[in-house]
DNA sequence: AGCACGCCGACT
DNA sequence: GTCGGCGTGCTC
């Protein structure tokens, strides 16, 4: 390994000519050097206006679009530096504060700037399209038109109808409105344009209409106090502060957000609201739009490139003041951002799991800090990290403990199912409770976090199990509409059921365990006169199906709801009074130390679905471990006590948030290649750590591995990982900064797929 | 990551 | 004699 830290050839020292530093996405740790086709780099005063603009560059034998991130002396041999083909933007597309933020993300996650920019920009912008985007044309009546259009001949009925529309409507007319008046609208509008009676402008690119205002709820004292604390901070211009808003389900967090947003909008500033992937429901958008009475830009995975581009441009130009979006919206540019909100901050969908593995929550806190604006992190069940930050006085705690209206918190009880024969997954006590609640005409929700019919297909004779050919995992049996089939939930591999056991030829193939499909079958059998609705990824695959099913459930058209965790988040089922959790035991003893935290959060989320109206809710939790100390803590003393105990356990075990981790993952078709890469990396890290320790030897570094990933083979690749942990985040980062150029240059690295996961959330 | 170059087997 | 297999190596 060489010790060339820039990863570049030595520059000719006789020249320090300034060149463009261009962030290209690819295996480059640092930006690449290019000469300017217009020689704008000759004038230092111009430099600030060059940084943040897109350029088209020659790259090998093709051309790419990339961003200028700096103007500085060349690091590369001058004769090898190529000249850019053209400037795409006249003005920077990324402003200094955006670049500072992206640079911080690049440094923190040790990801090349080109990759970070790629993650941050919408595809259209990455592809070189113009930054601004306009919707369809709209027309406004002019002063002259106002005089003339009243005096149209009586017999020109169609024309008069359109004119009437122009005279009465206060906002510009679009083609839909005009078309509704007369089929010849285009001819008339063109005629009036020529006469100067109407004028044409570009309308906004979004189509979302502002919802009709709904009833306003007065805030209770708790809510008002939370709003006041944040708003007073905004008003005083004190800059950055982070608040953890901990409010139990039904305590009205959304009203608090709305009141805060309202105040910030009044000041003429913008707001960013991050929501989990599943949380961006039409009801949520409707609620914000109806309350705020202004258009809201959206950004989520179901949107197409045009819609993303539109949202991006609308907030950048300041035309729209509120952006609500999932993870990737954290990168949206703003003209004048005044407040950041992140709802359900504990949700795992905020962590990107491929490419640049960023945590939208963590980097939003940083962004708020850079922009000197407050941030509110909301949750009923905050992450241990955030509670830790409250303890460390980095976050200020705001609590909401009162449920709105008369609703009481549900009673949660553990049901010991040890020794009970429960082939159908529902024990006798839960079944009895279901009967009671159903007889009273109420809804029941059964939660089972396992989709499909059965997780295992097994030969009764020899014990053979249907395995995925490309993963170390069982294939799940699914009951399709026409036939049964086997599906791997990890790689999507699908196949038909074998007629007989491939190992011994026996025809005694049995299904073991239960998924939501089998549960549905059983429940329909038990309660034939009741309507059963199953809501999981399979039953909601079709577009709009999720909406349809949840609305059906909310209207009370179903008696029994069966669902996976997608049912637990963001939906209100006012008639549900009994919630049954069928199997939470996987969460108690997992190799992933975060599993208990997840289990607790999910349990309370699901429990929160019960008894939101007047009727008191009941929650029954089936478990084989009724004595599990953390589970008991959660049920008897609540989430706060659970979190405190869990944090103490983490401290004892030297785990985050007490320690800082980085996971190096590696996969290859050949297992040895992956192991070689990680072993060589480990040796390099040990060596570099020694040099770091020479300055001050007061910190700990633990290297754990290489070990195989919990699922060693996935999609035909062998997967290994090396865990780094330290009690000093700066030291850990220094170590990675020292090590990274070596990794990029290592020939071993090119034979495998590897990535860094800073603050890993999952071990899979 | 792509994409060309390069050096060996089965085909018109 | 060629077409094409995917190993190796480079991109400012």
């Amino acid at each position: 390994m060489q010790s060339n830290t820039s990863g570049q050839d030595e520059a000719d020292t006789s020249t320090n000519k300034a060149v463009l530093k261009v962030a290209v996405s690819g295996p480059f740790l640092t930006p690449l050097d290019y000469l300017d086709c217009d020689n704008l780099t000759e004038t230092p005063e111009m430099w600030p206006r060059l940084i943040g603009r897109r350029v088209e560059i020659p790259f090998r034998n093709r051309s790419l679009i990339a961003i200028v991130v700096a103007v500085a002396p060349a690091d590369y041999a001058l004769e090898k530096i190529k000249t850019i083909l053209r400037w795409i933007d006249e003005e920077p597309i990324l402003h200094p504060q955006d670049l500072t933020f992206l640079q911080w993300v690049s440094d923190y996650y040790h990801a090349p700037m080109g990759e970070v920019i790629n993650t941050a920009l919408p595809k259209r912008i990455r592809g070189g399209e113009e930054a601004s985007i306009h919707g369809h044309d709209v027309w406004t009546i002019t002063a002259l038109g106002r005089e003339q259009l009243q005096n149209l001949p009586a017999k020109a009925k169609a024309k008069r109808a359109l004119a009437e529309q122009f005279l009465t409507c206060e906002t510009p007319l679009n083609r839909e409105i005009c078309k509704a008046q007369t089929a010849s609208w285009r001819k008339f509008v063109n005629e009036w344009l020529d006469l100067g009676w109407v004028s044409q402008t570009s309308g906004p690119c979004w189509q979302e209409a502002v919802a009709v205002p709904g009833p306003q709820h007065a805030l209770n004292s708790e809510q008002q106090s939370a709003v006041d604390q944040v708003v007073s901070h905004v008003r005083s211009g004190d800059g950055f502060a982070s608040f953890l808003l901990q409010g139990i389900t039904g305590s009205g967090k959304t009203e608090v957000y709305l009141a805060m947003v309202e105040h910030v909008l009044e000041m003429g500033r913008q707001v960013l609201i991050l929501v989990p992937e599943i949380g961006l429901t039409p009801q949520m958008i409707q609620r914000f739009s109806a309350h705020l009475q202004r258009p809201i830009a959206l950004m989520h995975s179901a949107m197409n490139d045009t819609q993303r581009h539109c949202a991006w441009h609308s907030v950048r130009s300041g035309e729209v003041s509120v952006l609500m979006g999932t993870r990737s919206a954290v990168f949206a540019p703003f003209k004048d951002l005044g407040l950041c909100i992140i709802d359900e901050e504990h949700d795992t969908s905020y962590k990107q799991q491929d490419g640049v593995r960023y945590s939208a929550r963590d980097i939003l806190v940083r962004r708020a800090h850079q922009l000197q604006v407050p941030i509110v992190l909301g949750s009923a069940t905050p992450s241990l990290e955030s509670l830790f930050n409250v303890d460390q006085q980095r976050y200020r705690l705001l609590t909401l403990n009162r449920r709105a209206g008369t609703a009481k918190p549900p009673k949660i009880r553990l049901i010991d199912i040890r020794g009970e024969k429960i082939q159908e997954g529902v024990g006798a006590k839960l079944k009895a409770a279901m009967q009671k609640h159903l007889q009273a005409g109420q809804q029941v929700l059964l939660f089972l976090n396992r989709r499909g019919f059965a997780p295992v297909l097994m030969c009764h004779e020899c014990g053979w199990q249907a395995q995925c050919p490309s993963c170390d995992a069982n294939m799940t049996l699914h009951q399709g509409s026409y036939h049964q089939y086997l599906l791997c939930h990890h790689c999507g591999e699908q196949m038909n059921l074998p007629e007989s056991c491939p190992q011994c030829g026996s025809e005694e193939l049995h299904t073991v365990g239960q998924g939501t499909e089998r549960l549905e079958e059983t429940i329909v059998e038990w309660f034939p006169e009741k309507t059963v609705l199953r809501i999981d990824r399979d039953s909601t695959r079709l577009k709009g199906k999720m909406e349809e099913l949840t609305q059906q459930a909310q209207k009370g058209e179903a008696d029994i709801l069966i669902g996976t965790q997608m049912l637990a988040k963001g939906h209100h089922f006012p008639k549900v009074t009994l919630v049954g959790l069928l199997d939470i035991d996987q969460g108690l003893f997992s190799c992933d130390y975060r599993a208990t935290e997840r289990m607790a959060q999910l349990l309370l989320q699901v429990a929160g679905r019960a008894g939101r109206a007047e009727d008191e809710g009941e929650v029954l939790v089936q478990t084989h471990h009724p004595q599990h100390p953390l589970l008991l803590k959660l049920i008897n003393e609540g989430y706060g006590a659970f979190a405190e105990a869990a944090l103490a356990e983490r401290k004892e075990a030297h785990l985050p948030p007490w320690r800082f981790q980085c996971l190096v993952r590696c996969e290859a078709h050949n297992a040895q290649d992956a192991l070689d890469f990680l072993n060589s990396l480990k040796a390099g890290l040990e060596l570099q750590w020694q040099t770091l320790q020479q300055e001050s030897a007061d910190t700990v570094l633990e290297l754990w591995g290489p070990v195989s990933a919990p699922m060693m083979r996935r999609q035909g690749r062998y997967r290994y990982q090396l865990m780094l942990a330290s009690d000093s985040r700066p030291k850990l980062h220094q170590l990675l900064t020292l090590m990274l150029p070596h990794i990029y240059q290592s020939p071993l690295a090119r034979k495998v797929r590897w990535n860094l996961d800073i603050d890993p959330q999952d071990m899979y």
Side-chain angles (χ1 to χ4, degrees):
Chain A
M1 287 187 183
Q2 296 159 30
S3 62
N4 182 345
T5 49
S6 71
Q8 302 217 338
D9 294 349
E10 284 306 311
D12 181 350
T13 46
S14 67
T15 168
N16 45 11
K17 184 181 164 74
V19 294
L20 300 172
K21 300 284 175 180
V22 183
V24 182
S25 101
F28 310 105
L29 202 44
T30 52
L32 302 184
D33 292 347
Y34 278 91
L35 297 171
D36 174 22
C37 57
D38 296 341
N39 290 320
L40 297 173
T41 46
E42 311 268 299
T43 344
E45 300 78 63
M46 275 298 289
W47 294 356
R49 292 185 48 200
L50 305 183
I51 295 163
R53 281 162 71 174
R54 289 173 299 172
V55 284
E56 187 172 356
I57 49 162
F59 184 76
R60 205 154 170 160
N61 56 350
R62 56 209 166 106
S63 81
L64 298 176
I65 288 158
I67 292 215
V68 173
V69 291
V71 181
D75 291 304
Y76 204 55
L78 208 55
E79 65 275 10
K80 288 202 266 179
I81 300 179
K82 291 188 184 176
T83 305
I84 65 166
L85 299 170
R86 66 183 177 104
W87 291 93
I88 290 174
D89 305 303
E90 301 271 315
E91 294 298 325
I93 190 168
L94 288 172
H95 299 132
Q97 72 266 29
D98 299 322
L99 274 172
T100 314
F101 172 53
L102 296 179
Q103 188 63 57
W104 181 84
V105 173
S106 165
D107 294 340
Y108 186 83
Y109 290 103
H110 297 271
M113 191 59 170
E115 299 296 325
V116 174
I117 289 175
N118 232 1
T119 324
L121 294 183
K123 209 173 174 184
R124 290 271 193 101
I125 302 300
R126 257 157 38 207
E129 257 181 78
E130 209 190 313
S132 59
I133 176 172
H134 292 294
H136 298 295
D137 291 335
V138 291
W139 301 276
T140 321
I141 189 165
T142 60
L144 180 63
R146 222 164 255 292
E147 292 169 21
Q148 301 295 327
L149 284 173
Q150 292 177 11
N151 313 316
L152 291 174
K155 59 176 186 170
K157 279 201 175 139
K159 219 178 210 184
R160 286 180 69 107
L162 184 60
E164 188 61 27
Q165 196 69 43
F166 270 107
L167 287 163
T168 52
C169 193
E170 284 166 23
T171 53
L173 302 188
N174 61 27
R175 56 175 295 153
E176 273 67 41
I177 300 174
C178 294
K179 209 171 172 178
Q181 301 308 315
T182 163
S184 320
W185 67 275
R186 175 67 82 181
K187 203 179 94 194
F188 301 153
V189 167
N190 281 341
E191 187 185 309
W192 297 342
L193 270 171
D194 288 341
L195 291 165
W197 294 358
V198 298
S199 64
Q200 179 175 309
T201 45
S202 272
C205 52
W206 69 83
Q207 303 108 33
E208 276 79 31
V210 173
V212 183
Q216 300 264 339
H217 299 284
L219 299 180
N220 66 33
S221 56
E222 270 183 346
Q223 290 172 317
Q224 192 59 54
S225 152
V227 173
D228 289 346
Q229 286 191 58
V230 175
V231 167
S232 76
H233 200 89
V234 178
R235 289 207 188 279
S236 66
D238 274 350
F240 173 76
S242 35
F243 298 90
L244 178 64
L245 177 64
Q246 182 171 14
I248 58 165
T249 326
S251 62
K253 282 198 297 295
T254 310
E255 276 87 29
V256 173
Y257 296 151
L258 283 168
M260 291 170 180
V261 173
E262 215 169 12
H263 278 100
V264 175
L265 294 179
E266 268 167 28
M267 297 171 72
R269 306 189 71 185
Q270 292 173 298
V271 183
L272 169 62
I273 304 154
L274 291 190
V275 293
E277 246 149 39
I278 206 111
L280 196 54
T281 57
Q283 293 103 297
M284 177 86 161
I285 301 159
Q286 164 93 15
R287 221 163 143 196
F288 269 78
S289 169
H291 185 97
L292 301 171
Q293 284 298 294
R294 53 169 89 208
I296 292 170
L298 303 175
M299 248 189 218
H300 55 86
S301 57
M303 282 166 72
N304 64 31
D305 295 341
T306 312
Q307 292 169 316
R308 278 167 190 277
H309 187 176
C310 170
W312 187 86
H313 170 252
S314 315
V315 291
R316 187 176 120 92
S317 64
E319 285 166 59
V320 176
S321 300
V322 183
L323 174 67
M324 190 183 276
T326 52
R327 185 174 66 229
S328 65
V330 73
F331 293 112
F334 284 87
K335 201 172 176 203
D336 183 19
L337 188 57
L339 174 68
C340 300
I341 293 175
I342 179 160
D343 190 29
E344 307 292 347
E345 62 85 24
H346 65 279
D347 197 278
T348 51
S349 73
Y350 288 123
K351 182 77 162 46
Q352 171 111 13
Q353 292 296 11
D354 52 54
V356 183
R357 294 175 164 254
Y358 65 89
S359 155
R361 184 232 298 153
D362 296 353
I363 67 177
L364 187 59
V365 173
R366 182 66 204 188
R367 190 174 184 191
H369 180 82
Q370 279 181 353
L371 295 175
Q372 287 295 300
V373 300
I375 176 171
V376 178
L377 299 92
S379 177
T381 51
S383 61
L384 297 188
E385 275 86 354
S386 294
L387 290 170
F388 179 76
N389 280 328
V390 170
D391 288 344
Q392 303 288 307
Q393 294 180 4
R394 279 194 284 261
Y395 295 174
R396 298 183 212 173
L397 185 64
L398 310 169
T399 40
L400 306 176
N401 286 321
R402 259 184 262 156
R403 271 194 150 192
T406 50
K408 288 183 207 156
K411 272 204 194 96
I412 305 177
R413 278 194 295 139
L414 292 180
I415 298 182
D416 185 357
I417 51 166
R418 279 176 299 182
E420 197 179 339
K421 193 166 179 275
I422 47 156
Q423 280 188 329
E424 279 79 21
V426 177
K429 280 189 191 142
L430 181 53
K431 188 176 178 181
M434 285 177 74
Q435 279 160 340
K436 195 185 90 193
H437 283 258
L438 288 170
Q439 258 161 32
Q442 285 153 338
Q443 277 182 323
V444 173
L445 189 155
L446 294 183
F447 176 83
L448 177 61
N449 210 4
R450 198 184 295 123
R451 64 194 179 95
F453 187 81
V456 180
L457 178 71
M458 193 194 273
C459 170
H460 191 57
E461 292 294 321
C462 72
W464 169 88
Q465 292 182 15
Q467 290 268 117
C468 173
S470 335
C471 306
D472 286 330
N474 284 326
M475 307 259 323
T476 302
L477 184 79
H478 278 252
Q479 189 100 62
S481 11
Y482 303 106
H483 71 299
Q484 292 189 326
Y485 60 95
L486 292 168
L487 177 73
C488 174
H489 285 181
H490 304 282
C491 72
E493 174 93 31
Q494 209 168 316
M495 58 176 74
N496 289 325
L497 264 70
E499 301 264 316
S500 57
C501 172
Q503 197 167 279
C504 73
S506 160
E507 289 184 7
E508 287 283 296
L509 295 179
H510 291 191
T511 53
V512 184
Q514 44 276 309
T516 46
E517 289 175 8
R518 179 183 240 177
L519 180 63
E520 182 186 20
E521 211 175 87
T522 309
I523 297 301
V524 168
E525 223 169 87
W526 283 359
F527 305 99
E529 75 287 3
K530 299 289 178 191
T531 317
V532 181
L533 224 56
R534 174 167 62 88
I535 300 180
D536 57 24
R537 211 157 88 203
D538 303 292
S539 70
T540 56
R541 182 146 296 159
L542 297 173
K543 200 168 180 269
K545 197 77 185 163
M546 178 76 184
E547 258 292 280
E548 189 192 317
L549 289 177
T550 48
Q551 280 192 5
Q552 238 176 300
Q554 274 154 8
K555 279 190 233 147
E557 286 167 19
D559 304 303
I560 304 166
L561 311 174
I562 293 175
T564 54
Q565 61 177 314
M566 70 191 300
L567 204 60
K569 296 173 185 178
H571 299 287
H572 312 302
F573 303 111
K575 284 193 175 165
V576 169
T577 50
L578 172 66
V579 171
L581 290 95
L582 269 56
D583 186 10
I584 56 147
D585 290 349
Q586 320 101 294
L588 295 176
F589 302 95
S590 165
C591 63
D592 187 344
Y593 62 84
R594 276 180 229 266
T596 11
E597 180 187 348
R598 301 267 157 71
M599 180 274 300
Q601 289 162 348
L602 199 60
L603 197 153
L604 290 191
Q605 290 255 357
V606 180
R609 305 302 109 203
R612 287 171 68 97
E614 297 73 41
D615 306 300
E616 193 176 324
E618 190 177 3
V619 179
L620 300 180
V621 183
Q622 295 192 150
T623 178
H624 289 94
H625 307 284
Q627 301 304 321
H628 191 286
L630 281 179
L631 189 58
L632 284 175
K633 199 109 192 161
L634 178 68
I635 305 290
N636 297 333
E637 296 169 58
Y639 188 77
F642 160 83
E644 205 177 297
L647 267 172
E649 271 191 12
R650 296 262 187 100
K651 184 179 191 178
E652 200 68 28
H654 300 298
L655 289 169
W658 304 95
R659 279 273 165 100
F660 307 100
Q661 292 184 330
C662 168
L663 188 64
V664 188
R665 286 173 226 267
C666 181
E667 55 179 56
H669 285 107
N670 177 352
Q672 197 57 50
D673 286 344
L675 276 170
D676 286 348
F677 170 76
L678 290 178
N679 275 317
S680 133
L681 176 62
K682 187 181 187 180
L685 287 167
E686 275 162 352
L687 202 72
Q688 296 285 357
W689 184 254
Q690 274 170 25
T691 62
L692 275 180
Q693 289 296 85
Q694 273 164 18
E695 293 155 31
S696 61
D698 53 349
T699 49
V700 180
L701 174 76
E702 279 180 279
L703 291 172
W704 184 60
V707 293
S708 61
M711 188 189 300
M712 178 152 86
R713 210 163 61 95
R714 184 170 166 152
Q715 289 191 26
R717 269 184 278 264
Y718 290 90
R719 306 153 73 238
Y720 289 88
Q721 49 199 28
L722 177 68
M723 180 70 92
L724 284 71
S726 175
D727 52 357
S728 158
R729 200 199 291 275
K731 272 276 177 79
L732 188 59
H733 278 250
Q734 267 180 54
L735 176 67
L736 289 170
T737 307
L738 280 173
M739 200 60 218
L740 227 58
H742 298 296
I743 307 180
Y744 273 81
Q745 285 181 358
S746 153
L748 282 168
R750 285 199 285 271
K751 292 178 81 173
V752 298
R753 278 193 191 181
W754 65 274
N755 64 62
L756 290 184
D757 195 345
I758 308 287
D759 309 324
Q761 296 291 312
D762 268 301
M763 297 280 280
Y764 65 92

